[in-house]
Amino acid sequence: MDTLDCSCRGPLLLHEANMVIDSLKRDIRRLTNDLVRKDTLISAYGSTLRAQAQSRIDMSFQTKFPEEPATTSQPACSTPQQNQPWTEVVARSQRGVLRRFSPPPFNPFNLSNRYSVLADSNVADPAHTIPLPPQHRSAEQSRPTAPPPKPPAPRRVARERPRHPPSSTRPVAVLVGSSMVRHVTLPRSETWCLPGARVEDVQTRVPEVVEQHPTASAIVVHVGSNDIRLQQSEKLKSDFTSLIQTILATGKKCIVSGPIPSACFSDMQFSRIRQLHAWLVGYCSRERVPFVDNFGSFWRRRSLFARDGRHLNRAGASLLASNLELALEAHHTPR
């Protein structure tokens, strides 16, 4: 029985071995084809990189050593060429006889003395000098005096049209700020986006905001990032004080949205924005003005900023809107 089993099992094992060998051969062929294809891609990629590198080298070489413009050949003679003062004309008379006008003798040099009149005349006495008429005066004497320079026009910051209309025709709050609030929308509020605005620019727009939205009981301001670049800390504090007092003088509630530390700020800019944040916390606390702390929410969170590292993306705008919405809810909640 054992001999019979071995004789029957031998062909089966051989068949299985052949199948395994065929499978391995197919795998080897597939891997070989993959290697060939990847080698081809690597070669093509290397050729592209070499061509780009060569083109960059050529461009940099042309930038450093530009080609000299082709110069036109000039005549070696220093005497300027003069046009012929005459032309040869052939005329036909009534009888048909040709008459040729001979040219005057050739004179290559035009000899004349433009200062002969001055040489023969005597120097006039300054006491009896006759003033020249206006048409003979020099250009400098007849030139009118330049008017004084005009003072620079006041800085005007245009408002962007809201991409999302306000949720109500009579908003209860108005958000005014720089381009950081471009995508920020609050319930029952309207957003005024002033790209590039500074603190003093927002202050000049407060009367317009109050006039257009008499039903709004609170004005939220988010500004200050553009003032950091001026490196005038004391002026920035004075501008913030004037802005807050201007809003309070209108009878509206003022809510200050704290500065946001941008992801691309340098060490100096980060230090100044940190000082402004600390000063606003203390000043708003003394004046009993609501303050929205955005510093901790955006610090070291690069994913909340756009590609430029300065403006907020959709996620950052949503987080800022959440912080401001909590402050507005606390303001409208009766005590």
Side-chain angles (χ1 to χ4, degrees):
M1 292 295 292
D2 295 339
T3 305
L4 181 59
D5 292 341
C6 292
S7 62
C8 294
R9 194 180 303 171
L12 182 60
L13 294 175
L14 181 61
H15 179 67
E16 292 179 355
N18 291 332
M19 291 180 62
V20 172
I21 291 172
D22 294 339
S23 178
L24 291 176
K25 288 181 179 180
R26 287 194 298 270
D27 292 341
I28 291 172
R29 286 194 297 269
R30 181 175 55 81
L31 292 175
T32 303
N33 294 333
D34 291 343
L35 288 175
V36 172
R37 182 172 56 83
K38 291 181 179 180
D39 289 340
T40 305
L41 292 177
I42 291 174
S43 300
Y45 185 69
S47 301
T48 304
L49 288 179
R50 286 192 297 271
Q52 292 179 356
Q54 184 64 30
S55 62
R56 292 178 181 177
I57 292 174
D58 295 340
M59 291 177 63
S60 62
F61 184 80
Q62 292 178 2
T63 304
K64 293 181 179 179
F65 305 101
E67 296 181 358
E68 297 183 355
T71 58
T72 57
S73 60
Q74 298 292 338
C77 181
S78 61
T79 304
Q81 296 182 357
Q82 299 180 357
N83 296 329
Q84 297 290 345
W86 52 270
T87 55
E88 184 177 356
V89 181
V90 177
R92 182 182 299 273
S93 62
Q94 296 180 357
R95 298 180 181 181
V97 180
L98 294 179
R99 297 181 180 180
R100 183 180 299 272
F101 297 91
S102 59
F106 176 70
N107 185 11
F109 301 102
N110 187 9
L111 303 177
S112 62
N113 188 1
R114 295 183 297 173
Y115 305 100
S116 59
V117 180
L118 297 178
D120 296 338
S121 61
N122 297 326
V123 179
D125 188 4
H128 299 82
T129 303
I130 302 175
L132 295 176
Q135 59 271 20
H136 294 286
R137 293 179 183 176
S138 61
E140 295 183 357
Q141 295 177 353
S142 60
R143 183 180 302 171
T145 58
K150 297 181 180 180
R155 192 167 181 268
R156 180 69 177 177
V157 180
R159 175 198 173 194
E160 282 190 358
R161 294 183 179 180
R163 300 185 181 182
H164 305 283
S167 56
S168 176
T169 56
R170 295 182 178 181
V172 297
V174 180
L175 172 61
V176 186
S178 59
S179 56
M180 300 292 286
V181 300
R182 177 177 287 119
H183 304 292
V184 177
T185 55
L186 300 175
R188 301 179 61 190
S189 303
E190 183 173 351
T191 301
W192 281 47
C193 179
L194 308 175
R198 301 171 185 167
V199 178
E200 57 184 1
D201 299 327
V202 176
Q203 181 182 357
T204 57
R205 304 298 289 271
V206 169
E208 183 180 357
V209 173
V210 174
E211 181 181 359
Q212 294 190 13
H213 306 287
T215 60
S217 60
I219 298 178
V220 186
V221 291
H222 182 93
V223 70
S225 299
N226 297 320
D227 298 78
I228 295 297
R229 307 172 187 174
L230 302 179
Q231 300 182 5
Q232 299 176 358
S233 301
E234 296 302 324
K235 183 180 183 303
L236 179 56
K237 294 177 183 179
S238 176
D239 292 343
F240 258 113
T241 303
S242 301
L243 172 61
I244 295 174
Q245 296 301 326
T246 301
I247 296 176
L248 295 178
T250 60
K252 307 292 183 180
K253 188 76 173 182
C254 178
I255 300 177
V256 178
S257 178
I260 295 176
S262 178
C264 66
F265 274 171
S266 61
D267 295 339
M268 181 179 296
Q269 291 175 335
F270 179 80
S271 176
R272 291 183 179 275
I273 204 78
R274 180 69 176 178
Q275 292 177 2
L276 176 62
H277 169 78
W279 179 82
L280 282 175
V281 170
Y283 179 79
C284 293
S285 177
R286 291 192 302 269
E287 298 294 329
R288 299 182 180 274
V289 174
F291 178 77
V292 182
D293 188 355
N294 298 316
F295 204 92
S297 303
F298 292 88
W299 186 33
R300 293 183 177 180
R301 299 187 65 180
R302 181 65 178 81
S303 59
L304 299 177
F305 293 86
R307 293 182 179 180
D308 58 358
R310 293 184 177 274
H311 299 86
L312 299 178
N313 55 16
R314 297 291 181 178
S318 178
L319 179 58
L320 180 59
S322 300
N323 295 344
L324 299 180
E325 187 175 354
L326 292 176
L328 288 176
E329 289 180 358
H331 163 64
H332 294 296
T333 301
R335 298 181 180 178

